[in-house]
Amino acid sequence: MTGNKPMISKLKRAPLIVAALLSMILTSFVSLPAIGQEISPEHLALARKYLDLTDHSGVFEATVVQAGINTFKTLSATNPDITEALNKAITDTITEYKGHKGDLFDQMARVYALTFSPEELQQIVDFYGSPIGMKLSKANAELNSTMQRIMNVYSVNLSSEFFAKVRAALKKAGVDT
């Protein structure tokens, strides 16, 4: 069975390798705008308007609060006596970040502007500015949460089923796991 150990080692590293590759790919796409393509202020404004029209789930705010929660968990676990000071520091830091939402949205707008022409963005903005577009935009936050729960259940079930099928195939091939 020592012949299987290199394979097991490779399988344990596979998620890290995939994550590294995805990170490199995503980084290369994010850096593309800086390399070449100029985007007019009007084009960026349309992309930003789309983001403003569809920001009903408070992605920025939720991300900042989650960073505060994670920081609290990390620091209070090793320093339980500083809870009061930690709460104040986290609250102050969250307040500090409130004015930075625009920076994030401007970066996101650049991605949309690179993906869609000004004409396409105008159509998108027109749609999301319409009654049905506003309804869809407001519903998306709740729908996305529901879809995420469905995907989580599916993923857990798929993982168990997939694992069982692979083990059965290995057993049938005479490989003991």
Side-chain angles (χ1 to χ4, degrees):
M1 285 299 145
T2 58
N4 287 341
K5 288 192 182 207
M7 184 60 165
I8 291 170
S9 177
K10 287 178 184 177
L11 287 175
K12 286 181 180 177
R13 288 189 313 225
L16 294 173
I17 293 168
V18 170
L21 287 172
L22 284 173
S23 177
M24 288 187 323
I25 291 167
L26 290 174
T27 302
S28 68
F29 282 120
V30 170
S31 65
L32 283 177
I35 292 173
Q37 199 170 349
E38 275 301 313
I39 301 168
S40 74
E42 297 81 14
H43 193 170
L44 281 173
L46 280 170
R48 177 60 194 260
K49 187 170 183 178
Y50 161 71
L51 288 167
D52 291 337
L53 282 169
T54 57
D55 179 39
H56 296 290
S57 60
V59 172
F60 176 79
E61 293 83 355
T63 303
V64 171
V65 168
Q66 188 60 53
I69 291 168
N70 293 343
T71 300
F72 182 86
K73 287 178 181 177
T74 300
L75 293 176
S76 66
T78 56
N79 304 290
D81 299 336
I82 66 166
T83 304
E84 190 174 319
L86 184 56
N87 275 329
K88 182 179 177 354
I90 288 172
T91 301
D92 292 347
T93 305
I94 287 173
T95 301
E96 207 177 297
Y97 274 96
K98 283 185 180 178
H100 295 282
K101 180 178 183 174
D103 299 337
L104 174 65
F105 274 34
D106 288 345
Q107 292 174 31
M108 294 167 78
R110 187 163 181 75
V111 173
Y112 279 102
L114 286 168
T115 305
F116 298 101
S117 71
E119 295 77 20
E120 291 169 328
L121 279 169
Q122 185 61 61
Q123 290 176 18
I124 291 167
V125 165
D126 290 345
F127 171 74
Y128 280 101
S130 73
I132 191 67
M134 286 187 254
K135 181 178 181 178
L136 174 64
S137 178
K138 287 178 183 169
N140 270 341
E142 185 177 322
L143 293 172
N144 287 342
S145 176
T146 301
M147 297 302 175
Q148 186 62 49
R149 285 193 302 274
I150 291 169
M151 282 306 301
N152 288 342
V153 170
Y154 178 80
S155 180
V156 167
N157 291 337
L158 174 66
S159 293
S160 298
E161 184 179 304
F162 193 92
F163 186 84
K165 286 185 178 196
V166 168
R167 280 188 101 179
L170 289 171
K171 186 174 184 175
K172 184 176 180 180
V175 177
D176 192 21
T177 58

